[in-house]
């Protein structure tokens, strides 16, 4: 008798099969003496489209809505139907007596497996593999401690409830809006509130009125003092005449006059390492530092987790470790012991690891702990540039938590010039602490780091000059992908009702979407032309702004997600019945469809071009996609698309701004906003010359042929034998 192991992806399945001594893959599975290992390709089964219930639904007709089948059916995804048939046949084999669900350990991973098993009508006993990395050790430990599948049935029910609720609301609302206003208008409980937050930020920026403010600085030679406005205690004064009057009064005395030190305060301050990464925090940092989109960062993390096996499971919302991980830390440090991390790893390993509450807390770990290195030794040469950068973020953050805090003495001096108070701040570093791990500390943004002389109360200092400063208050910044992720994670301030219970639920459940889905939600808004990118900033389109005028109010607020997540948590813990939840969802769906049908609002295309669609002849819409501009047919059933321009990462040789590709085929040109233009062939030739004698492909071929006996972690090994052009 054998056990069937169902993984989520082929790469993970092969790793598990190797550990379980299964033979090489044959037609979508691997088999050994005790186990048969197979895999999904993500989802193999999904909820059926409306037309599978009734052929009449093939035509989008507002009179058919709402579509509310008594029971939602499952259907096999056509593109992966071959693999589904393989899995189904294996589930049906008489010698297979039990199943191990080895899909990703989380709500969506549970859904992948449960839907496949349900569609195959298999009732065999289920065990659950619950691991956070796919190293051989983690797999062996996981199989030695398999969980009872019944313990995860409620998690599966909550996943099914979430999927069915999104189907009922999303399918009906999208079809109703699209047919009512004759334009492809997509909405949903996560993407629509996300769009609403972007529009709200734009409104705040548009309505912002900058306020001028003024200040005074005093040059004391080797340091600078700042005037303190007497009534507010601030270094800003919003009354120009008052600032002018103070400056004139002070300048009436010779500028070299002496000032008196009235107070000297010395305070020892400490800054502790930042918490470990969860996925959202990692996506934010990768976007801020390297411009990677959230979806791109998740893809990189998946490769580091599945292929290279050097980082733990990426789809986590925890920034802490559980106590059972602490004994594995030394082995994880040894796995990172390559330049530039080796000296820090060696330093940490000199003393026993002592866990503390800054990074170990069982109550703050749900499905998975924070993202950290695995016990698998890393070969940095095997990582692509982007993989290397993301790996560096995670390892650096991991190493920092074992170092003491950054410690410094903050010195605050208060001085009297005439009858006005001035102040200066400075610091002296006592201990670099965790900042020794990286050179460009982000921690030092809030304090003035100027060096101050040794002074005491009553000392006199010479003021060389006085100067008025001025500025204006700044509006909120537009969202970029990093800050939008933060807003999705903590959306409470965008709720109109300020419902405290819902806000707390949103905070506990991670806000809008999950760590695994937020990147896809942002991409979907781009793909549906609801938002566009200008530089690094995100702005709504006319289509997006109009959509918010058309959708029911509840669909625009994060509160809906908060309510759903609260109930889904109740399902996963057994406090709420799945069917009761879905009954309420059906009622809500009827209400919003009635509201949309009765709406008197209108929708108009204000981005019509003069270009006709090559397929149907209707005038096309000019839209800004994430990577450039394109023309899209306004007929939702045609939906033809033509590229107009494509943004590229190459900079103009004249003004050094990023350029675009315009045109198609042989007529393609490279253009810049400054007026620079060149043919695509000339651009390719120029870039090849700039790269030098060896192309990227040639360099990679050289590396692939290198002596296999070369020391694996020697950072200079790749240079051996290379000849560079002078």
């Amino acid at each position: 008798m054998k056990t069937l192991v169902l993984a989520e992806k082929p790469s993970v399945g092969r790793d598990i099969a190797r550990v379980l001594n299964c033979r090489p893959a044959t037609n979508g599975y691997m088999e050994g003496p005790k186990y048969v290992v197979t895999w999904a390709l993500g989802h193999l089964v999904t909820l059926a489209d409306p037309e599978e219930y009734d052929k009449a639904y093939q035509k989008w007709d507002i009179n058919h809505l709402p579509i509310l089948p008594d029971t939602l059916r499952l259907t096999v995804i056509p593109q992966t139907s071959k693999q589904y048939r393989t899995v189904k046949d294996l589930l049906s084999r008489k010698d297979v007596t039990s199943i191990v669900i080895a899909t990703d350990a989380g709500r969506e991973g549970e859904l992948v497996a449960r839907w496949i098993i349900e569609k195959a009508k298999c009732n065999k006993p289920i065990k659950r593999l619950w691991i956070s990395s796919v190293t051989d050790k983690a797999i062996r430990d996981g199989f030695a401690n398999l969980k009872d599948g019944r313990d995860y049935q409620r998690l599966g029910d909550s996943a099914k409830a979430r999927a069915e609720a999104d189907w009922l609301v999303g399918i009906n609302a999208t079809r109703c809006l699209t047919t009512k206003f004759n334009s492809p208008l997509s909405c949903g409980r996560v993407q629509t509130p996300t769009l609403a937050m972007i529009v709200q930020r734009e409104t705040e920026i548009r309505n912002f009125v900058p306020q001028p403010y003024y200040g005074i600085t005093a040059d004391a030679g080797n340091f600078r003092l700042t005037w303190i406005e007497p009534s507010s205690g601030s270094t800003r004064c919003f009354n120009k005449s008052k600032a002018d009057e103070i400056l004139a009064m002070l300048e009436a005395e010779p500028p070299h006059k002496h000032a008196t030190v009235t107070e000297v305060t010395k305070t020892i301050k400490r800054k502790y390492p930042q918490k470990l990464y969860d996925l959202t925090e990692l996506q934010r940092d990768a976007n801020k530092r390297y411009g990677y989109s959230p979806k791109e960062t998740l893809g990189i993390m998946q490769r580091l987790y599945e292929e290279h096996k050097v980082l733990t499971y990426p789809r986590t919302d925890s920034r802490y470790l559980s106590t059972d991980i602490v004994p594995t830390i030394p082995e994880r440090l040894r796995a990172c012991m390559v330049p530039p991390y080796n000296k820090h790893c060696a330093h940490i390993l000199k003393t026993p690891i002592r866990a503390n509450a800054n990074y170990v807390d069982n109550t703050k770990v749900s499905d998975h702990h924070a993202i950290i290195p695995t016990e698998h030794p890393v070969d940095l040469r095997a990582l692509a540039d982007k993989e290397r950068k993301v790996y560096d973020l995670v390892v650096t953050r991991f190493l920092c938590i074992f170092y003491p805090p950054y410690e410094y003495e903050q010195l605050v001096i208060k001085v009297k010039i005439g009858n006005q108070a001035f102040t200066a701040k400075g610091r002296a570093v006592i201990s670099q602490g965790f900042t020794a791990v990286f050179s460009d500390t982000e921690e030092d943004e809030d304090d003035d780091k100027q060096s101050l002389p040794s002074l005491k109360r009553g000392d006199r200092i010479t003021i060389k000059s006085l100067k008025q400063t001025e500025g204006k208050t700044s509006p909120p910044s537009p969202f970029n992908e990093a800050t939008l992720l933060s807003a999705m994670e903590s959306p409470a301030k965008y709720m109109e009702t300020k419902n405290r219970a819902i806000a707390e639920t949103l905070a506990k459940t991670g806000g809008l979407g999950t760590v695994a889905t937020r990147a896809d939600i942002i991409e979907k808004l781009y793909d549906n032309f609801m938002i566009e990118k200008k530089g690094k900033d995100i702005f709504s389109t006319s289509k997006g702004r109009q959509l918010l005028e058309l959708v029911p109010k509840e669909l625009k607020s994060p509160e809906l997600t908060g309510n759903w997540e609260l109930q889904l948590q109740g399902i996963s813990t057994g406090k709420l019945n799945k069917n009761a939840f879905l009954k309420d969802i059906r009622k809500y769906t009827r209400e919003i469809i009635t509201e949309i049908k009765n709406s008197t609002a209108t929708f108009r295309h204000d981005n019509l071009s003069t270009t006709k669609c090559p397929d149907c002849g209707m005038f096309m819409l000019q839209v800004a996609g994430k990577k450039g501009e394109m023309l899209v047919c306004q007929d939702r059933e045609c939906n033809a698309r033509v590229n107009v321009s494509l943004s590229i990462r190459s900079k103009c040789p004249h003004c050094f701004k990023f350029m675009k590709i315009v045109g198609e085929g042989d007529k393609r040109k490279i253009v810049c906003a400054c007026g620079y233009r060149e043919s695509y062939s000339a651009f390719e030739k120029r870039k090849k010359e700039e790269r030098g004698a060896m192309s990227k492909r040639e360099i990679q071929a050289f590396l692939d042929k290198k002596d296999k006996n070369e020391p694996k972690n020697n950072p200079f090994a790749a240079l051996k034998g290379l000849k560079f052009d002078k």
Side-chain angles (χ1 to χ4, degrees), residues 96-151:
V96 170
T97 57
S98 61
I99 304 163
V100 171
I101 293 178
T103 48
D104 286 352
R107 190 165 73 184
E108 284 306 302
E110 199 69 24
L111 186 64
V112 168
R114 297 283 175 171
W115 268 355
I116 292 170
I117 294 168
E118 182 180 333
K119 181 64 176 173
K121 298 180 180 178
C122 178
N123 296 310
K124 294 175 181 177
I126 294 172
K127 293 286 187 181
R128 190 51 161 105
L129 177 71
W130 198 268
I131 56 176
S132 295
S133 64
V134 288
T135 62
D136 289 6
K137 182 180 183 300
I139 293 168
R140 282 193 294 269
D141 290 347
F143 270 89
N145 296 279
L146 290 173
K147 314 294 184 184
D148 191 323
R150 289 172 294 188
D151 295 342

Side-chain angles (χ1 to χ4, degrees), residues 508-570:
K508 289 177 183 176
T509 57
L512 286 171
T514 66
V515 289
T517 61
R518 289 189 191 113
D520 285 332
I521 292 298
I522 295 172
E523 291 296 318
K524 192 171 185 179
L525 288 170
Y526 282 124
D527 292 343
N528 289 323
F529 309 113
M530 301 295 178
I531 60 174
E532 60 186 355
K533 206 170 185 181
K534 295 178 181 178
K536 290 185 177 181
D537 295 331
I538 297 172
F539 296 92
S540 64
T541 62
S542 170
K543 180 180 179 180
R545 291 188 294 274
Q546 288 189 77
L547 174 70
L548 292 179
E549 298 299 319
L550 306 177
V551 298
K553 183 178 179 180
E554 294 86 354
L555 271 176
K556 293 186 283 187
S557 172
E559 284 184 72
L560 182 64
T561 286
N563 272 318
W564 282 25
E565 286 296 339
L566 186 62
Q567 295 178 76
L568 292 171
Q569 277 192 339

Side-chain angles (χ1 to χ4, degrees), residues 225 228 260-266 411-416 422-424 452 455-459:
L225 293 150
I228 302 173
T260 304
V261 176
T262 59
E263 188 179 331
V264 177
T265 305
K266 294 181 179 181
L411 182 63
V412 179
I413 298 172
K414 290 187 178 179
V415 172
K416 272 289 177 89
F422 283 71
T423 187
L452 297 180
L455 296 168
K456 61 182 183 298
R457 185 176 179 180
D459 282 355

